[in-house]
């Protein structure tokens, strides 16, 4: 490890810098390198900046990647602007390169300098370090990422070398005496991983493992109770101190406060897994404001990355930019901004391309401002967020068929030629013809459209509506995760912004006004669709404001059978099951309801006593409509009371049919338990037909690069219906969360797939609750079918067990693989087409009733 | 929603095959008195050609099943057609032969074809009936989960046995250690239980269905004098009985799965032999000309 470098000006006393950079991740390193560049150019003898790193090495998060991990340099179309180099390669090559640059450029970095407090007074920041030392700075750049620092033991000796706060590979240690401190999942997993080849004791501050997942809880209790293993646990025990004992049998001695008094043990290693200290609290303690309490909220920043605290800048993941290249560019830019040099950001050309086919010529910054002013909902956004929104969106321009369109097309073609050598190509402007459909009913897409200019015609249930400048549409699929409800057609001279789901979700989570605006319009449009198709927008907007949106976790009860109800729910995302108690005390599941359906409407339309219990199957949001609002809706002229009553009768009938077949309810309950409540397309196997030939798995591997994306044997079974480990193509895919390069997409027909920009980070694998994503090296090619049949070459069809990836594949790193429902295959899903007995089928939610019936 | 092979698209290929068979019978009955039914008449050649083409097509299922990129129908449709047209082939080839048999390669081809088709009938029978038995037997679990449960029961049984007398301990531990599942081909197909147990003299003796161990523990319960031991023995008995059930299920699973797969080891090699005999049969017929 690099030794601590000199402090710079006024060592020993209180040192002052123009810029203090906190955190030496990609953003911090790049900022420090830029500051160093200017110092060198100006011939400054003492550095005007300092880079503070709490860890003993730079780029802690990347240091913690597994050995040899391939680090990608997404997004490919963005140029790097930094004094440090960065291109895709192994973790070691990248870290080593930065290490060399740190030394060769003479960057003023201090290791082991944990900043515990930052305070501002009279435009001067005072930074207090972990060792009590303090320094001052005119400006502070925060590049501390979002991983947070691990919570330490909180006892003397917590910083000793053999006291670790993470464990890369349990197999790397054997024959050691190890204490694992902590009672969460990480502690349990580490302890059990070590236990096979080490003598391990897990130390729990409490009397039980209450924070652990069920699987881990059972495993740790089984290991503790297993008299044949040496694994044990110290309950209600805290750490008093750790000391080094160089001459003893073990290098460390740990002393505990136990219920029976103090106890000391010799040991080789202590692993403390006590959770992390999220950086948000620290950031807030400086005075930086977050827009809301959501865990993924991002602080409000100006276009120069400055927070509401003047002189305090935030870059990198903490500012909402999770990719290395983005953070490095920001590090460079932010130093220039602080120096008063307001350069165009590195992503500026991307916007120039986006605006290339506009009907009028204006500088990019003017256009940005103009667009923002035209959209009421985005007016209050800070310009950085709006800029980010546009960079990640498609800009669409419509022209009438004819010379104008041709001219724009020529311009676009010229740009395309100019950028032909760029790989991947930056986002191009989108040209559409007047009258062209933007989307059709039934398509799966959750992008969000904003109209900057012109008009768009929406047709839903036969009703046509025209939307104009500043209005938006497409929010329904964005929120419900369901396919488009109608058609959208571009009218004359449109300029539209099509924003992908992920960007909108990020924006809604970080900006309360945008969220409220979209929610409100969503409610207005849902109410109109269900109760008053002919009503005007303005007639409904007050009712919409009076209908709250309630959120329910999986398993939450919306209302219970027998109680009196005064509200109905309109499901807007997720799914709700209705159950009824039977005479024999059992609960019969009588219905499963998805987005766009009403729950509990009988309370307002007939008997107020609830006949069913409504439970959220997955994370669910509903619009609550109380009696007064309901009466206001149905009391209007032209209200759809008849249709509403017809739907109620149909529901009553379906519910009664399910109630007399309780076994169907049990099956439904099983399917919901397997996540089908949020599924759109699921592989189901009828075990009474399945002969176990595994042709489905073989077909999957053969059509997907030699790696099967389904595990037939695994997964649960109920009454012959088997749900194998295979993607459910969820309405709101869990895997799409936190994908740094946005590599997980949804096709128009609903298939959720991973594109080539996957960086193999494993977030999707961790986020998928159904274990259907795995990380794998690309499989090597195999001899063909005839060679196998005639000459016996190769392992035959299907995934080759334990295949050896090629060196090139290894160098490229593991990538996430999952089912893409064979979206590009002509004959439909290969697993189903290859099943010889008809046991494998794929079903959508509207077929559940048929399946259980 | 789910339908088995025979019911594919309302038994579409049953009707195809029925029409084909009726047409072939139509051809056959045109044999006049002057030229009695024989493989060498024009009718005989027609039927023979249809039969040979059918056999080649039926064999092609092995390739189509593994042509995963093919969008020419579904494997399920092909398999359904395979079953019905294979059955039709039996009738068509019989008409072709006019039931004239002898000790020659022609009759060999016919016999091989019959063996292939009848092994196919057996395969169809097990494909339609055994999956449900397998599924019921696994009771919502999988073979892996049964083995996992067995492993847990073994551990629990050993632990409980250690709390009992040395003779119980020896019996239980030896019977667990010497439990046999699977084994050779016949053991698997017949679900034979080769489990052993070592009692007092340490000599292993057969312990079919774990009954000796269970009876021994059951016998001891009323004789035991210490209440603590009784509790341990009762729990041990329940573990052993559960274990017996799991072992039965595992053996049944292995047996059914074995029968589900073994017929292909007859059906496919015989098909290849049939193709060889068919080639010889066709070539030699040209010498009759």
């Amino acid at each position: 490890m690099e030794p601590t470098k000199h402090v710079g000006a006024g060592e020993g006393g209180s040192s002052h810098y123009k810029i203090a950079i906190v955190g030496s991740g990609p953003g911090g390193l790049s900022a420090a390198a830029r500051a160093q560049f200017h110092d060198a150019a100006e011939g400054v003898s003492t550095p005007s900046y300092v880079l503070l790193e709490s860890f003993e090495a730079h780029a802690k998060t990347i240091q913690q990647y597994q050995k040899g991990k391939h680090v990608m340099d997404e997004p490919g179309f963005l140029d790097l602007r930094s004094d440090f180099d960065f291109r895709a390669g192994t973790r070691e090559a990248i870290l080593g390169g930065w290490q060399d640059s740190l030394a060769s450029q003479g960057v003023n970095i201090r290791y082991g300098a944990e900043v515990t407090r930052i305070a501002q007074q009279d435009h001067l920041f005072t930074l207090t370090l972990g060792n009590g030392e303090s320094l001052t700075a005119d400006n502070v750049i925060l590049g501390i990422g979002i991983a947070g620092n691990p919570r330490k033991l909180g006892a003397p000796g917590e910083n000793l070398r053999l006291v670790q706060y993470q464990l890369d590979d349990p197999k790397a240690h054997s024959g050691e005496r190890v204490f694992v401190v902590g009672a969460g999942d990480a502690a349990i997993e580490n302890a059990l991983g070590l236990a096979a080849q080490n003598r391990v004791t897990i130390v729990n501050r409490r009397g039980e493992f209450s924070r652990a997942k069920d699987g881990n809880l059972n495993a740790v209790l089984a290991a503790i109770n297993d008299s044949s293993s040496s694994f044990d646990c110290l309950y209600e025990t805290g750490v008093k101190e750790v000391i080094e004992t160089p001459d003893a049998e073990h290098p460390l001695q740990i002393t505990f406060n136990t219920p029976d008094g103090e106890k000391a043990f010799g040991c080789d290693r202590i692993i403390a897994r006590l959770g992390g200290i999220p950086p948000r609290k620290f950031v807030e303690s400086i005075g930086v404001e977050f827009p809301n309490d959501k865990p993924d909220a991002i602080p409000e920043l100006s276009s120069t990355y400055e927070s509401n605290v003047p002189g305090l800048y935030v870059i990198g993941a903490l500012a909402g930019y999770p990719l290395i290249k983005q953070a490095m560019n920001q590090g460079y830019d932010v130093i220039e901004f602080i120096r008063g040099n307001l350069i165009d950001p590195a992503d500026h050309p991307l916007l120039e391309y986006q605006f290339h086919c506009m009907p009028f010529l204006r500088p990019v910054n003017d256009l940005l401002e103009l667009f923002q002013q035209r959209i009421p909902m985005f007016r209050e956004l800070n310009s950085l967020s709006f800029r980010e929104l546009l960079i990640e969106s498609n800009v669409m321009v419509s022209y009438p068929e004819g010379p104008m369109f041709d001219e724009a097309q020529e311009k676009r073609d010229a740009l395309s030629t100019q950028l032909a050598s760029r790989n991947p190509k930056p986002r191009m402007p989108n040209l559409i013809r007047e009258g062209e459909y933007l989307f059709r009913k039934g398509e799966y897409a959750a992008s969000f459209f904003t109209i900057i200019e012109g008009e768009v015609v929406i047709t839903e249930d036969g009703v046509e509506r025209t939307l104009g400048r500043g209005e938006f549409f497409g929010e329904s699929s964005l929120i419900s995760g369901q396919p488009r409800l109608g058609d959208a057609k571009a009218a004359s001279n449109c300029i539209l912004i099509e924003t992908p789901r992920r960007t909108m979700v990020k924006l809604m989570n970080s900006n309360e006004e945008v969220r409220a605006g979209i929610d409100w319009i969503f409610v207005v449009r849902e109410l109109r669709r269900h109760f008053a198709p002919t009503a005007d927008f303005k007639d409904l907007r007050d009712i919409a404001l009076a209908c709250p949106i309630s959120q329910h976790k999986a398993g939450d009860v919306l209302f219970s059978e027998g109680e009196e109800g005064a509200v109905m729910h309109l499901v807007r995302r997720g799914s709700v099951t209705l159950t009824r108690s039977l005479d024999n005390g059992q609960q019969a599941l009588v219905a499963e309801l998805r987005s766009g359906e009403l729950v509990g409407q009988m309370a307002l339309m007939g008997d107020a006593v609830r006949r069913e219990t409504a439970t959220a199957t997955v994370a669910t949001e509903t619009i609550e409509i109380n009696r007064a609002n309901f009466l206001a809706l149905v009391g209007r002229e032209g209200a759809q009371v008849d249709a509403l009553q017809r739907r109620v009768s149909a529901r009553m009938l379906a519910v009664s049919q399910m109630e007399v077949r309780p076994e169907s309810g049990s099956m439904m309950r099983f399917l919901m338990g397997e996540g089908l409540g949020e599924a759109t397309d699921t592989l189901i196997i009828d075990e009474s037909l399945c002969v176990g030939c595994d042709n489905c798995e073989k077909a999957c591997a053969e059509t997907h690069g030699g790696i099967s994306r389904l595990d037939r044997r695994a997964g649960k079974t109920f009454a012959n219906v088997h749900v194998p480990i295979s993607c459910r193509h969820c309405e709101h895919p869990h895997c799409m969360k936190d994908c740094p390069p946005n590599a997980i997409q949804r096709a128009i027909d609903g298939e959720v797939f991973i594109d080539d920009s996957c960086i193999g980070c494993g977030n999707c694998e961790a986020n998928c609750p159904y274990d259907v994503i795995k990380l794998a090296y690309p499989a090597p090619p195999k001899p063909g079918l005839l060679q196998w049949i005639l000459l016996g070459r190769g392992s035959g069809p299907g995934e080759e067990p334990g295949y050896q990836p090629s060196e090139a594949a290894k160098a490229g790193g593991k990538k996430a693989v999952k089912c893409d429902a064979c979206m590009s295959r002509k004959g439909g899903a290969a697993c189903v087409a290859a099943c010889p007995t008809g046991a494998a089928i794929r079903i959508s939610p509207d077929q559940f009733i048929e399946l259980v019936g | 929603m789910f339908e088995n092979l025979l019911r594919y698209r309302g038994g579409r290929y049953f009707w195809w095959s029925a029409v084909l068979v009726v047409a072939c019978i139509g051809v056959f009955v045109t044999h006049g008195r002057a030229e009695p039914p024989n493989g060498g008449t024009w009718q005989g050649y027609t039927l023979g050609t249809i039969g040979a083409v059918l056999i080649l097509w039926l064999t092609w299922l092995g390739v189509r099943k593994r042509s995963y990129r093919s969008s020419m129908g579904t494997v399920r449709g092909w398999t359904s057609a395979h079953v019905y047209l294979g059955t039709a082939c039996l009738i068509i080839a019989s008409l072709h032969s006019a039931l004239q048999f002898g000790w020659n390669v022609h009759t060999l081809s016919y016999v091989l074809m019959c063996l292939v088709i009848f092994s196919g009938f057996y395969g169809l029978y097990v494909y339609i009936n055994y999956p449900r038995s397998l599924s019921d037997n696994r009771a919502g679990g999988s073979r892996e989960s049964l083995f996992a449960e067995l492993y847990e029961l073994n551990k629990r049984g050993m632990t409980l046995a250690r709390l009992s007398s040395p003779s119980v301990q020896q019996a239980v531990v030896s019977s667990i250690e010497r439990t046999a599942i699977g084994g050779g081909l016949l053991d698997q197909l017949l679900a034979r239980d080769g489990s052993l147990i070592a009692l007092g003299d340490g000599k292993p003796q057969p312990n079919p269905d774990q009954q000796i161990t269970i009876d021994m523990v059951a016998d001891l319960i009323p004789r035991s004098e210490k209440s603590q031991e009784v509790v341990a023995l009762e729990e041990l008995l329940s573990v052993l009985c559960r274990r017996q059930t799991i072992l039965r299920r595992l053996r049944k699973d292995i047996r059914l799965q074995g029968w589900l797969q073994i017929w292909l080891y007859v059906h496919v090699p015989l098909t290849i032999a049939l193709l060889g005999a068919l080639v010889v049969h066709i070539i030699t017929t040209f010498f009759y000309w």
Side-chain angles (χ1 to χ4, degrees):
Chain A
M1 294 289 147
E2 186 78 358
T4 304
K5 283 208 168 182
H6 71 106
V7 180
E11 188 170 357
S14 168
S15 11
H16 178 78
Y17 298 95
K18 209 171 146 212
I19 302 170
I21 304 159
V22 185
S24 72
L29 284 173
S30 182
R34 194 64 201 155
Q36 175 62 35
F37 168 85
H38 285 297
D39 277 5
E42 289 159 12
V44 181
S45 59
T46 48
S48 64
Y49 69 94
V50 64
L51 174 56
L52 301 167
E53 169 56 55
S54 67
F55 204 50
E56 295 306 317
H58 60 289
K60 182 180 74 180
T61 306
I62 300 175
Q63 299 273 5
Q64 289 175 353
Y65 286 176
Q66 75 204 41
K67 250 195 213 160
K69 181 180 166 66
H70 184 80
V71 181
M72 312 278 281
D73 58 358
E74 294 295 320
F77 52 76
L78 181 65
D79 291 331
L80 176 71
R81 182 193 275 179
S82 174
D83 297 281
F84 271 29
D85 198 18
F86 170 62
R87 64 190 69 151
T90 62
R91 158 190 174 271
E92 286 73 14
I94 288 164
L95 289 172
W98 289 346
Q99 181 75 59
D100 294 346
S101 299
L102 276 171
S104 68
Q105 298 179 19
V107 172
N108 181 31
I109 180 168
R110 280 190 65 182
Y111 295 103
E114 186 186 358
V115 177
T116 53
R117 189 163 169 270
I118 301 177
Q120 191 198 29
Q121 202 175 15
D122 302 333
H123 301 288
L124 188 71
F125 290 95
T126 306
L127 291 83
T128 311
L129 304 188
N131 60 4
E133 195 187 320
S134 70
L135 50 90
T136 56
D138 299 330
N139 297 286
V140 171
I141 300 171
L142 277 186
I144 54 178
I146 49 171
N149 284 328
R151 202 180 295 278
K152 301 231 170 144
L153 276 182
E158 62 182 15
N159 290 323
L160 291 174
R161 191 174 60 84
L162 290 169
V163 179
Q164 296 172 202
Y165 296 92
Q166 73 160 88
L167 177 64
D168 292 329
D169 179 12
K171 300 271 177 301
H173 308 286
S174 64
E176 293 187 358
R177 176 75 180 100
V178 186
F179 284 90
V180 177
V181 185
D185 290 307
I188 294 173
E189 283 161 19
N190 282 178
L192 295 174
L194 287 163
Q197 65 285 350
N198 298 281
R199 163 88 175 89
V200 178
T201 301
I202 186 163
V203 182
N204 186 348
R205 201 157 47 88
R206 298 175 194 279
E208 57 192 45
F209 290 88
S210 52
R211 284 188 290 130
K213 286 192 286 203
D214 280 355
N216 279 332
L217 180 65
N218 295 338
V220 76
L221 294 181
I224 293 168
N225 295 328
D226 182 355
S227 52
S228 64
S229 93
S230 61
F231 188 89
D232 61 357
C233 176
L234 290 169
Y235 287 106
E236 293 177 42
T237 296
V239 178
K240 179 163 184 277
E241 64 168 0
V242 184
I243 53 170
E244 280 184 304
T245 49
D247 303 324
E249 182 195 350
H250 298 289
L252 291 179
Q253 180 183 304
I254 183 164
T255 309
F256 295 108
N257 288 318
T258 75
D260 309 327
E262 273 181 30
K263 280 184 186 166
F265 300 89
C267 64
D268 299 299
R269 194 175 299 278
I270 295 164
I271 294 174
R273 299 307 302 264
L274 303 161
I277 306 168
R280 173 157 173 174
K281 281 209 176 111
F282 173 68
V283 178
E284 280 178 331
S285 74
I286 314 168
V288 176
E289 285 164 9
F290 284 73
N292 56 44
D293 288 336
K294 295 199 168 31
D296 47 0
I298 295 157
E300 298 260 12
L301 300 175
S302 74
S303 58
T304 57
Y305 311 120
E306 194 170 6
S307 68
N308 61 304
V309 179
L312 187 92
Y313 297 80
V314 182
I315 57 172
L318 188 60
Y321 299 87
L323 294 167
I324 294 175
K325 204 195 284 179
Q326 292 172 332
M328 293 183 76
N329 288 350
Q330 290 172 354
Y332 179 106
D333 291 348
V334 78
I335 293 291
E336 296 297 333
F337 295 152
I338 291 174
R339 294 176 57 87
N341 181 13
L342 293 178
I343 52 170
D344 285 330
D347 50 23
H348 192 78
L350 299 178
L351 282 171
E352 281 179 348
Y353 307 145
Q354 297 260 61
F355 294 158
H356 194 69
C357 293
M358 287 290 154
F360 34 81
L361 283 175
R362 285 238 198 135
V364 165
N365 290 334
D366 288 5
L367 281 176
L368 272 175
E369 203 174 316
L370 176 74
F371 287 3
Q372 190 168 2
Q373 285 316 310
R374 287 213 169 160
I375 311 164
M377 193 175 64
F378 291 156
R379 244 172 244 161
E380 299 303 315
L381 271 186
N382 71 53
S383 51
L384 188 67
S385 305
F386 186 69
R387 185 189 175 86
E388 180 70 11
L389 174 96
L390 265 182
I391 287 178
E392 291 181 9
S393 301
N394 266 323
V395 176
M396 306 174 111
V397 187
S398 82
Y399 286 100
E401 186 85 73
M404 282 176 80
F405 184 86
D406 297 339
E407 193 189 328
Q409 180 81 47
E410 267 169 43
K411 264 171 101 176
R412 190 186 183 280
D413 291 346
L415 177 67
S416 181
T417 324
Q418 182 197 329
L419 299 175
S421 59
R422 299 275 294 268
N423 186 27
K425 230 183 197 178
R427 211 187 292 277
M428 302 287 286
N430 249 303
L431 281 182
I432 45 176
R433 291 178 176 81
E434 265 182 39
E436 203 170 303
Y437 280 104
L438 301 163
F439 57 71
R440 305 299 297 259
K441 185 178 175 175
E443 283 179 2
Y444 268 97
S447 57
F448 179 86
F449 290 84
T450 322
I451 307 173
I452 290 175
E453 181 75 66
E455 288 178 339
V456 169
V457 179
I458 309 277
T459 314
E460 231 173 72
D461 300 329
V463 182
E464 219 172 71
R465 279 200 175 77
T466 305
L467 302 181
R469 182 197 279 190
E471 291 193 272
F472 55 82
F473 58 98
E475 78 290 340
S476 173
S477 296
L478 175 73
I479 289 170
S480 69
Q482 296 223 331
R484 300 288 192 200
L485 295 167
D487 299 335
K489 198 166 23 171
S492 56
N493 301 321
C494 282
I495 301 176
L496 307 168
I497 307 176
E498 182 191 11
T499 312
R501 172 183 183 273
R502 180 173 98 136
T503 312
M504 273 328 282
V505 169
K506 196 163 98 180
L507 186 62
M508 286 166 74
N509 282 347
S510 59
N511 188 299
E512 208 42 60
E513 271 134 36
V514 173
R515 164 173 286 277
I518 293 176
D519 275 350
W520 179 42
I521 299 297
F522 179 91
V523 175
V524 169
R525 291 184 180 159
E526 277 296 282
L527 293 179
R528 184 162 67 186
R529 203 159 66 79
H530 282 273
F531 302 103
T534 54
D536 266 355
F537 185 83
K538 60 179 191 309
D539 295 342
L540 295 176
R541 59 187 182 189
D542 292 334
I543 301 180
L545 279 177
C547 294
I549 292 165
S550 57
Q551 310 203 336
H552 312 273
K553 293 194 293 291
D556 279 0
V557 174
L558 278 67
F559 54 78
S560 305
E561 189 174 352
E563 71 183 24
E564 288 221 359
V567 292
M568 68 163 97
H569 297 261
L570 176 52
V571 183
R572 72 164 207 165
R573 69 170 284 177
S575 108
V576 172
T577 51
L578 297 182
T579 49
R580 250 183 211 181
S581 7
L582 300 178
D583 295 341
N584 61 8
Q586 283 187 328
Q587 288 283 313
L589 193 153
V590 290
E592 192 241 348
L593 304 165
R594 297 250 178 153
S595 312
E597 296 195 79
L598 291 168
V599 181
Q601 68 272 51
M602 278 312 289
L604 302 184
M605 296 178 73
D607 186 5
V609 178
R610 304 283 193 195
R611 299 278 316 278
E612 295 102 9
T613 298
T615 314
T617 321
V618 291
T620 298
E621 292 176 1
T622 63
I623 302 169
E624 284 185 16
I625 304 167
N626 63 20
R627 189 175 299 276
N629 288 325
F630 177 68
L631 292 176
L633 281 168
V634 296
R636 294 171 26 78
E637 209 175 311
Q640 268 197 320
V641 181
D642 273 4
L644 210 57
Q645 283 167 342
R646 269 200 305 277
R647 279 168 58 186
V648 170
S649 320
R651 168 76 58 71
M652 301 284 284
L653 186 65
V655 161
S656 305
Q657 283 170 342
M658 287 288 277
E659 192 182 357
V660 295
R661 288 175 308 183
E663 69 284 359
S664 307
S666 311
M667 170 65 85
M668 198 62 150
R669 201 186 307 275
F670 162 73
L671 294 176
M672 294 303 114
E674 287 303 292
L676 270 68
E678 56 180 333
T680 65
D681 179 14
T682 318
L683 177 65
I684 301 280
I685 293 176
D686 181 352
E687 286 214 328
S688 67
L689 292 176
C690 176
V691 295
C693 66
D694 279 334
N695 215 35
C696 47
E697 275 188 30
K698 290 174 190 164
C700 185
E702 289 296 317
T703 48
H704 293 89
I707 302 169
S708 172
R709 283 100 209 274
L710 83 101
D711 187 344
R712 178 189 62 82
R713 283 202 189 94
K716 294 202 177 122
T717 308
F718 180 83
N720 294 332
V721 170
H722 179 62
V723 185
I725 299 287
S726 167
C727 181
R728 279 96 160 126
H729 301 272
C730 301
E731 285 182 346
H732 288 278
H734 303 270
C735 51
M736 276 191 191
K737 278 187 299 211
D738 314 330
C739 174
N742 200 14
I744 305 186
Q745 306 287 339
R746 168 157 245 152
I748 278 181
D749 292 328
E751 304 93 342
V752 177
F753 65 98
I754 304 179
D755 70 21
D756 294 339
S757 63
C758 171
I759 57 173
C761 67
N763 284 355
C764 52
E765 186 195 26
N767 282 337
C768 174
Y770 309 112
D771 283 339
V772 305
I773 304 184
K774 59 183 175 186
L775 290 173
Y777 290 115
K782 284 191 303 187
L785 177 62
L786 284 179
Q787 291 200 43
W788 172 69
I789 290 181
L790 301 174
L791 309 171
R793 291 186 53 193
S795 59
E799 183 172 329
E800 186 183 341
Y803 64 84
Q804 282 301 317
S806 66
E807 284 308 314
K810 272 191 187 163
K814 283 186 177 175
K815 297 285 171 64
V817 294
K818 72 178 279 297
C819 163
D820 60 358
C822 292
M823 50 190 271
S824 50
R825 197 179 167 278
K826 223 172 66 192
C831 48
V832 173
C835 177
T837 62
I841 58 168
R842 299 194 73 94
I843 60 169
S844 54
D846 51 354
Q847 293 171 290
F848 288 170
I849 297 295
E850 199 187 331
L851 180 70
V852 301
Chain B
M1 178 168 280
F2 292 102
E3 49 186 13
N4 72 24
L5 276 181
L6 298 178
R7 299 211 186 99
Y8 177 74
R9 302 246 164 137
R12 168 193 287 188
Y13 296 106
F14 168 80
W15 296 107
W16 281 36
S17 306
V19 168
L20 183 67
V21 166
V22 168
C24 287
I25 291 173
V27 170
F28 183 80
V29 295
T30 61
H31 277 115
R33 269 180 200 209
E35 220 174 9
N38 181 283
T41 62
W42 71 263
Q43 293 94 337
Y45 277 115
T46 307
L47 292 169
T49 308
I50 293 173
V53 168
L54 262 185
I55 287 172
L56 286 178
W57 180 85
L58 291 165
T59 312
W60 195 250
L61 178 69
V63 175
R64 172 61 189 87
K65 185 184 145 191
R66 295 175 177 86
S67 305
Y68 300 106
R69 289 175 189 283
S70 169
S71 53
M72 206 198 325
T74 59
V75 174
R76 186 166 151 235
W78 273 67
T79 315
S80 180
H82 181 90
V83 167
Y84 284 116
L85 290 171
T87 310
C89 200
L90 188 65
I91 299 167
I92 294 165
S94 301
L95 294 174
H96 166 65
S97 73
L99 302 180
Q100 296 168 335
F101 301 119
W103 294 102
N104 53 37
V105 70
H106 316 299
T107 302
L108 175 67
S109 305
Y110 181 82
V111 170
L112 283 172
M113 186 202 71
C114 290
L115 289 174
V116 170
I117 293 173
F118 286 115
S119 66
F121 286 162
Y122 170 77
L124 181 66
Y125 173 79
V126 292
Y127 265 37
I128 285 181
N129 291 293
Y130 279 23
R132 181 173 290 275
S133 312
L134 267 166
S135 173
D136 292 347
N137 180 50
R138 285 174 192 156
S142 61
R143 189 183 284 186
E144 287 75 18
S145 66
L146 286 173
F147 269 113
E149 188 177 350
L150 179 65
Y151 175 76
E152 288 304 318
L153 289 168
N154 286 351
K155 272 206 321 199
R156 186 85 197 114
M158 299 259 212
T159 312
L160 286 168
R162 283 197 198 98
L163 303 174
S164 306
S165 64
S167 63
V168 171
Q169 192 176 337
Q170 184 202 15
V172 171
V173 170
S174 75
S175 69
I176 288 177
E177 282 175 350
R178 289 162 191 255
T179 298
I181 304 170
L185 182 63
L186 278 181
D187 295 330
Q188 290 191 31
L189 291 177
L190 303 175
R192 284 203 294 231
D193 184 356
S195 300
L196 300 172
I197 185 172
L199 293 175
D201 56 359
K203 232 163 110 188
Q205 65 182 84
N207 182 21
D209 211 19
Q210 304 294 311
Q211 206 55 52
I212 296 180
T213 330
I214 289 172
D215 290 346
M216 176 178 175
V217 173
D219 269 359
L220 274 174
I221 292 175
R223 286 161 222 251
S224 178
E225 282 159 11
K226 283 181 281 184
S227 66
Q228 225 177 351
E229 198 186 353
V230 172
V231 173
L233 283 175
E234 278 176 352
E235 197 185 338
L236 180 59
L237 184 64
S238 113
V239 166
L240 291 176
C241 288
R242 177 78 193 143
R243 214 177 149 262
Q244 183 183 46
T245 310
I246 298 290
L247 284 170
R248 284 178 188 164
R249 288 201 167 161
L250 275 169
R251 289 200 186 91
K252 187 170 177 188
D253 190 66
I254 292 168
R255 175 172 66 84
L256 292 173
Q257 195 72 52
W259 287 110
L260 205 49
Q261 284 167 352
I262 187 105
W263 69 277
L264 275 171
Y265 290 87
V266 176
H267 192 69
V268 174
L270 281 178
T271 302
I272 292 170
L274 165 62
L275 284 182
L278 197 63
V279 169
V280 178
H281 159 69
I282 291 168
I283 292 171
T284 50
T285 49
F286 287 110
F287 290 105
Y288 290 119
W289 276 4

